[in-house]
Amino acid sequence: MGQPTVTTGVTAVDGVRLHYVRAGSGPLLVLLHGWPQTSDCWRPVLADLAADFTVVAPDLRGYGLSDKPTTGYDKRRMAADMAGLVEALGFEKAAVVGHDRGARVGHRWALDRPEQVERLAVLDIVPTREMFRRLDASLASGYWHWLFQMQPDLPERLVGPDIRGYLEYFFERWTYNRHGLTPEAVDTYVRAFSRPGALRASFDDYRAMEQDVALDDLDAAEGRRLSMPVLALWGSVGLPSRLPSLEIWREYADDVTGAEIPECGHFIPEERPEVMLAHLRDFLAAATNR
Protein backbone atom coordinates (compact mmCIF):
# COMPACT_ATOMS: atom_id res chain seq x y z
CA MET A 1 0.00 0.00 0.00
CA GLY A 2 1.32 3.42 -0.96
CA GLN A 3 1.65 6.36 1.32
CA PRO A 4 -1.59 8.32 1.84
CA THR A 5 -1.92 11.76 0.37
CA VAL A 6 -1.39 14.36 3.07
CA THR A 7 -3.02 17.73 2.53
CA THR A 8 -3.04 20.91 4.58
CA GLY A 9 -5.86 23.29 5.22
CA VAL A 10 -6.94 26.35 7.19
CA THR A 11 -10.42 26.78 8.60
CA ALA A 12 -11.68 29.79 10.55
CA VAL A 13 -13.61 28.93 13.71
CA ASP A 14 -15.16 31.86 15.54
CA GLY A 15 -12.68 34.19 13.88
CA VAL A 16 -9.57 32.10 14.65
CA ARG A 17 -7.78 30.48 11.72
CA LEU A 18 -6.83 26.91 12.54
CA HIS A 19 -4.22 25.11 10.45
CA TYR A 20 -4.39 21.33 10.09
CA VAL A 21 -3.01 18.40 8.17
CA ARG A 22 -5.35 15.75 6.81
CA ALA A 23 -4.91 12.25 5.38
CA GLY A 24 -6.93 9.11 4.69
CA SER A 25 -10.64 8.39 4.56
CA GLY A 26 -13.27 6.83 6.77
CA PRO A 27 -14.39 7.75 10.30
CA LEU A 28 -12.82 10.89 11.71
CA LEU A 29 -9.82 10.68 14.02
CA VAL A 30 -8.54 13.96 15.49
CA LEU A 31 -4.97 14.12 16.83
CA LEU A 32 -4.18 16.92 19.29
CA HIS A 33 -0.55 17.81 20.00
CA GLY A 34 0.99 19.16 23.19
CA TRP A 35 3.66 21.63 24.34
CA PRO A 36 6.29 22.42 23.12
CA GLN A 37 5.20 20.95 19.81
CA THR A 38 2.79 21.28 16.89
CA SER A 39 0.77 18.90 14.73
CA ASP A 40 4.09 17.79 13.27
CA CYS A 41 4.54 15.47 16.28
CA TRP A 42 2.13 12.99 14.66
CA ARG A 43 4.22 12.45 11.53
CA PRO A 44 5.52 8.99 12.64
CA VAL A 45 1.97 7.59 13.00
CA LEU A 46 -0.03 9.58 10.45
CA ALA A 47 0.25 7.14 7.54
CA ASP A 48 -0.62 4.10 9.64
CA LEU A 49 -3.71 5.71 11.14
CA ALA A 50 -4.79 7.10 7.76
CA ALA A 51 -5.22 3.55 6.47
CA ASP A 52 -8.47 3.29 8.46
CA PHE A 53 -9.47 6.85 9.30
CA THR A 54 -9.81 10.36 8.04
CA VAL A 55 -7.03 11.74 10.19
CA VAL A 56 -7.03 15.45 11.02
CA ALA A 57 -4.15 16.87 13.07
CA PRO A 58 -4.69 20.56 13.84
CA ASP A 59 -2.36 23.10 15.34
CA LEU A 60 -4.13 24.24 18.49
CA ARG A 61 -5.01 27.89 18.96
CA GLY A 62 -1.74 29.70 19.60
CA TYR A 63 0.50 27.00 18.16
CA GLY A 64 2.19 26.24 14.86
CA LEU A 65 0.55 27.86 11.86
CA SER A 66 -2.75 28.56 13.64
CA ASP A 67 -3.66 32.05 14.80
CA LYS A 68 -2.32 33.32 18.11
CA PRO A 69 -5.04 35.53 19.59
CA THR A 70 -4.53 37.25 22.94
CA THR A 71 -7.49 35.47 24.58
CA GLY A 72 -9.25 32.12 24.63
CA TYR A 73 -6.70 29.70 26.08
CA ASP A 74 -8.95 28.11 28.67
CA LYS A 75 -9.60 24.52 27.66
CA ARG A 76 -13.32 25.10 27.14
CA ARG A 77 -12.57 27.66 24.43
CA MET A 78 -9.81 25.54 22.89
CA ALA A 79 -12.13 22.52 22.89
CA ALA A 80 -14.83 24.62 21.21
CA ASP A 81 -12.27 25.40 18.50
CA MET A 82 -11.93 21.68 17.83
CA ALA A 83 -15.67 21.11 17.88
CA GLY A 84 -16.13 23.90 15.35
CA LEU A 85 -13.36 22.51 13.15
CA VAL A 86 -14.97 19.06 13.09
CA GLU A 87 -18.32 20.56 12.13
CA ALA A 88 -16.76 22.78 9.45
CA LEU A 89 -15.12 19.72 7.91
CA GLY A 90 -18.51 18.05 7.64
CA PHE A 91 -18.30 15.48 10.45
CA GLU A 92 -20.63 14.89 13.37
CA LYS A 93 -18.39 12.74 15.57
CA ALA A 94 -14.73 11.94 16.09
CA ALA A 95 -12.40 9.69 17.97
CA VAL A 96 -9.80 11.87 19.67
CA VAL A 97 -6.19 11.21 20.63
CA GLY A 98 -4.51 13.92 22.66
CA HIS A 99 -0.96 14.28 23.91
CA ASP A 100 0.03 16.60 26.77
CA ARG A 101 -1.84 19.92 26.37
CA GLY A 102 -3.86 18.38 23.55
CA ALA A 103 -5.06 15.67 25.92
CA ARG A 104 -6.27 18.38 28.30
CA VAL A 105 -8.19 19.96 25.43
CA GLY A 106 -9.55 16.53 24.54
CA HIS A 107 -10.63 15.88 28.13
CA ARG A 108 -12.59 19.14 28.25
CA TRP A 109 -14.02 18.53 24.75
CA ALA A 110 -15.31 15.11 25.82
CA LEU A 111 -16.86 16.54 29.00
CA ASP A 112 -18.56 19.43 27.23
CA ARG A 113 -19.66 17.52 24.11
CA PRO A 114 -19.90 13.80 24.86
CA GLU A 115 -22.15 13.33 21.84
CA GLN A 116 -19.30 14.46 19.57
CA VAL A 117 -16.32 12.61 21.10
CA GLU A 118 -16.81 8.88 20.61
CA ARG A 119 -13.53 7.71 22.13
CA LEU A 120 -10.71 9.52 23.87
CA ALA A 121 -7.07 8.50 24.22
CA VAL A 122 -4.95 10.61 26.58
CA LEU A 123 -1.16 10.41 26.34
CA ASP A 124 1.13 11.07 29.30
CA ILE A 125 -1.13 13.17 31.49
CA VAL A 126 -3.46 12.93 34.45
CA PRO A 127 -6.36 15.40 34.75
CA THR A 128 -5.28 18.97 35.45
CA ARG A 129 -7.35 19.12 38.64
CA GLU A 130 -5.80 15.95 39.97
CA MET A 131 -2.27 17.07 39.26
CA PHE A 132 -2.65 20.16 41.42
CA ARG A 133 -4.49 18.24 44.14
CA ARG A 134 -1.55 15.85 44.39
CA LEU A 135 1.24 18.39 44.03
CA ASP A 136 4.07 17.49 46.40
CA ALA A 137 7.84 17.88 46.29
CA SER A 138 8.28 15.07 43.77
CA LEU A 139 5.63 16.37 41.38
CA ALA A 140 6.75 19.96 41.82
CA SER A 141 10.28 19.01 40.73
CA GLY A 142 8.84 17.53 37.54
CA TYR A 143 6.12 20.06 36.80
CA TRP A 144 8.07 23.20 37.76
CA HIS A 145 7.59 24.54 34.25
CA TRP A 146 3.83 24.86 34.89
CA LEU A 147 4.44 27.26 37.76
CA PHE A 148 7.04 29.20 35.79
CA GLN A 149 5.04 29.46 32.57
CA MET A 150 1.95 30.64 34.43
CA GLN A 151 3.69 33.83 35.52
CA PRO A 152 2.83 37.04 33.64
CA ASP A 153 5.49 38.43 31.28
CA LEU A 154 8.53 36.82 32.93
CA PRO A 155 8.72 33.61 30.84
CA GLU A 156 8.71 35.55 27.59
CA ARG A 157 11.50 37.77 28.83
CA LEU A 158 13.73 34.92 30.01
CA VAL A 159 13.01 32.39 27.26
CA GLY A 160 12.81 34.77 24.30
CA PRO A 161 16.59 35.28 23.87
CA ASP A 162 17.23 31.50 23.70
CA ILE A 163 14.13 29.66 22.52
CA ARG A 164 16.18 26.76 21.18
CA GLY A 165 18.06 26.33 24.44
CA TYR A 166 14.82 26.30 26.45
CA LEU A 167 13.01 23.80 24.22
CA GLU A 168 16.01 21.54 23.86
CA TYR A 169 16.18 21.26 27.64
CA PHE A 170 12.77 19.57 27.61
CA PHE A 171 13.50 17.45 24.55
CA GLU A 172 16.60 16.19 26.38
CA ARG A 173 15.17 15.76 29.87
CA TRP A 174 11.73 14.41 28.96
CA THR A 175 12.88 11.66 26.58
CA TYR A 176 14.11 8.11 27.00
CA ASN A 177 14.47 7.25 23.31
CA ARG A 178 16.10 10.48 22.16
CA HIS A 179 16.53 9.25 18.59
CA GLY A 180 12.77 9.65 18.15
CA LEU A 181 13.10 13.41 18.30
CA THR A 182 15.29 13.95 15.27
CA PRO A 183 17.31 17.14 14.75
CA GLU A 184 14.93 18.00 11.91
CA ALA A 185 11.93 17.66 14.24
CA VAL A 186 13.55 19.84 16.89
CA ASP A 187 14.34 22.47 14.25
CA THR A 188 10.67 22.44 13.22
CA TYR A 189 9.52 23.09 16.78
CA VAL A 190 12.11 25.80 17.37
CA ARG A 191 10.94 27.60 14.23
CA ALA A 192 7.32 27.26 15.31
CA PHE A 193 7.94 28.80 18.72
CA SER A 194 10.03 31.57 17.18
CA ARG A 195 7.04 32.86 15.20
CA PRO A 196 5.50 36.18 16.32
CA GLY A 197 3.27 35.64 19.34
CA ALA A 198 4.02 31.94 19.67
CA LEU A 199 5.82 32.02 23.01
CA ARG A 200 3.22 34.29 24.59
CA ALA A 201 0.37 32.17 23.27
CA SER A 202 1.84 28.91 24.54
CA PHE A 203 2.41 30.40 27.99
CA ASP A 204 -1.15 31.74 27.96
CA ASP A 205 -2.21 28.10 27.56
CA TYR A 206 -0.67 27.50 31.02
CA ARG A 207 -1.93 30.80 32.44
CA ALA A 208 -5.49 29.55 31.92
CA MET A 209 -4.93 26.99 34.69
CA GLU A 210 -7.17 28.68 37.26
CA GLN A 211 -10.09 28.74 34.83
CA ASP A 212 -9.43 25.14 33.83
CA VAL A 213 -9.27 23.86 37.41
CA ALA A 214 -12.42 25.80 38.35
CA LEU A 215 -14.31 24.04 35.55
CA ASP A 216 -12.88 20.68 36.59
CA ASP A 217 -13.90 21.29 40.21
CA LEU A 218 -17.42 22.15 39.11
CA ASP A 219 -17.69 18.97 37.06
CA ALA A 220 -16.43 16.91 39.99
CA ALA A 221 -18.89 18.55 42.38
CA GLU A 222 -21.78 17.86 40.01
CA GLY A 223 -20.68 14.29 39.29
CA ARG A 224 -19.89 14.71 35.60
CA ARG A 225 -17.58 12.00 34.28
CA LEU A 226 -16.40 10.84 30.88
CA SER A 227 -18.93 8.38 29.51
CA MET A 228 -17.11 7.27 26.35
CA PRO A 229 -14.28 4.68 26.33
CA VAL A 230 -10.97 6.20 27.49
CA LEU A 231 -7.45 4.91 26.87
CA ALA A 232 -4.64 6.28 29.04
CA LEU A 233 -1.03 5.71 27.98
CA TRP A 234 2.09 7.02 29.68
CA GLY A 235 5.82 6.60 29.31
CA SER A 236 7.74 4.56 31.86
CA VAL A 237 9.92 7.57 32.67
CA GLY A 238 7.29 10.22 31.97
CA LEU A 239 5.99 12.41 34.76
CA PRO A 240 2.65 10.52 35.14
CA SER A 241 4.66 7.38 35.97
CA ARG A 242 5.14 8.95 39.41
CA LEU A 243 1.38 8.65 40.00
CA PRO A 244 -1.21 5.83 39.96
CA SER A 245 -2.36 7.09 36.57
CA LEU A 246 -4.84 4.36 35.70
CA GLU A 247 -6.56 4.57 39.07
CA ILE A 248 -6.75 8.35 38.76
CA TRP A 249 -8.40 8.23 35.35
CA ARG A 250 -10.95 5.73 36.67
CA GLU A 251 -12.06 8.41 39.10
CA TYR A 252 -12.91 10.62 36.10
CA ALA A 253 -14.29 8.15 33.55
CA ASP A 254 -16.58 5.13 33.47
CA ASP A 255 -14.70 2.94 30.98
CA VAL A 256 -10.91 3.22 31.22
CA THR A 257 -8.11 1.01 29.98
CA GLY A 258 -4.46 1.95 30.07
CA ALA A 259 -0.85 0.94 29.98
CA GLU A 260 2.65 2.13 30.71
CA ILE A 261 4.89 2.14 27.64
CA PRO A 262 8.33 0.80 28.53
CA GLU A 263 11.55 2.62 27.69
CA CYS A 264 9.62 5.77 26.85
CA GLY A 265 9.56 9.31 28.10
CA HIS A 266 7.00 12.02 27.49
CA PHE A 267 6.98 12.21 23.68
CA ILE A 268 5.22 8.92 23.02
CA PRO A 269 4.25 9.38 19.32
CA GLU A 270 7.88 10.03 18.40
CA GLU A 271 9.71 7.87 20.92
CA ARG A 272 7.62 4.68 20.67
CA PRO A 273 5.26 5.05 17.69
CA GLU A 274 4.82 1.32 17.00
CA VAL A 275 3.98 0.51 20.61
CA MET A 276 1.54 3.40 20.75
CA LEU A 277 -0.07 2.26 17.49
CA ALA A 278 -0.52 -1.26 18.80
CA HIS A 279 -2.53 0.07 21.74
CA LEU A 280 -4.49 2.49 19.55
CA ARG A 281 -5.40 -0.14 16.94
CA ASP A 282 -7.25 -2.22 19.52
CA PHE A 283 -8.83 0.79 21.17
CA LEU A 284 -9.97 2.42 17.94
CA ALA A 285 -11.18 -0.75 16.23
CA ALA A 286 -14.79 -0.22 17.32
CA ALA A 287 -14.78 3.22 15.70
CA THR A 288 -14.22 1.64 12.28
CA ASN A 289 -17.09 -0.83 12.68
CA ARG A 290 -20.01 1.46 13.37
Side-chain angles (χ1 to χ4, degrees), residues 96-98 103 106-107 110 117-122 226 228-232 283:
V96 178
V97 179
H107 185 193
V117 178
E118 291 188 296
R119 299 178 161 259
L120 175 66
V122 289
L226 297 174
M228 69 290 297
V230 173
L231 172 67
F283 178 68

Side-chain angles (χ1 to χ4, degrees), residues 19-261:
H19 168 265
Y20 59 89
V21 297
R22 177 174 179 167
S25 61
L28 180 62
L29 174 62
V30 177
L31 307 178
L32 303 178
H33 67 86
W35 184 93
Q37 299 187 292
T38 68
S39 58
D40 196 60
C41 76
W42 302 108
R43 68 194 179 284
V45 299
L46 193 67
D48 191 287
L49 293 171
D52 297 305
F53 294 92
T54 298
V55 179
V56 172
D59 289 331
L60 296 170
R61 168 190 295 244
Y63 290 84
L65 297 177
S66 290
D67 278 353
K68 299 162 184 65
T70 56
T71 59
Y73 293 94
D74 62 281
K75 301 307 156 291
R76 174 159 284 170
R77 179 64 259 172
M78 294 177 78
D81 290 343
M82 297 300 103
L85 176 62
V86 165
E87 293 162 5
L89 295 177
F91 291 89
E92 295 181 356
K93 299 179 179 181
V96 178
V97 179
H99 176 244
D100 187 79
R101 307 303 295 178
R104 302 188 191 285
V105 174
H107 185 193
R108 174 49 54 192
W109 186 5
L111 282 169
D112 286 354
R113 294 175 172 81
E115 74 287 350
Q116 193 175 45
V117 178
E118 291 188 296
R119 299 178 161 259
L120 175 66
V122 289
L123 307 184
D124 216 58
I125 71 158
V126 295
T128 303
R129 172 178 181 265
E130 202 66 30
M131 197 195 84
F132 281 97
R133 289 178 69 201
R134 293 170 180 260
L135 195 63
D136 58 13
S138 174
L139 285 187
S141 70
Y143 287 100
W144 64 269
H145 65 290
W146 273 70
L147 307 178
F148 171 64
Q149 292 176 182
M150 285 164 49
Q151 303 309 310
D153 302 326
L154 183 64
E156 290 91 332
R157 179 168 184 174
L158 297 184
V159 175
D162 189 11
I163 294 171
R164 177 178 291 276
Y166 189 65
L167 298 191
E168 286 186 343
Y169 175 89
F170 295 98
F171 294 140
E172 173 80 12
R173 297 295 294 271
W174 285 359
T175 50
Y176 183 98
N177 175 25
R178 295 189 177 114
H179 294 292
L181 273 163
T182 65
E184 294 78 14
V186 172
D187 287 347
T188 296
Y189 301 136
V190 171
R191 286 195 302 272
F193 283 84
S194 299
R195 296 177 70 87
L199 270 187
R200 183 264 312 153
S202 78
F203 296 150
D204 284 346
D205 184 356
Y206 287 83
R207 291 171 183 138
M209 183 277 297
E210 290 188 24
Q211 295 168 271
D212 296 336
V213 172
L215 284 174
D216 291 348
D217 284 343
L218 181 62
D219 284 329
E222 297 184 353
R224 279 192 290 273
R225 295 161 56 89
L226 297 174
S227 55
M228 69 290 297
V230 173
L231 172 67
L233 300 175
W234 61 94
S236 60
V237 297
L239 296 174
S241 67
R242 304 181 188 186
L243 295 166
S245 292
L246 193 56
E247 291 80 358
I248 289 172
W249 276 109
R250 285 176 174 156
E251 296 175 12
Y252 287 80
D254 298 331
D255 179 5
V256 182
T257 54
E260 181 175 281
I261 297 180

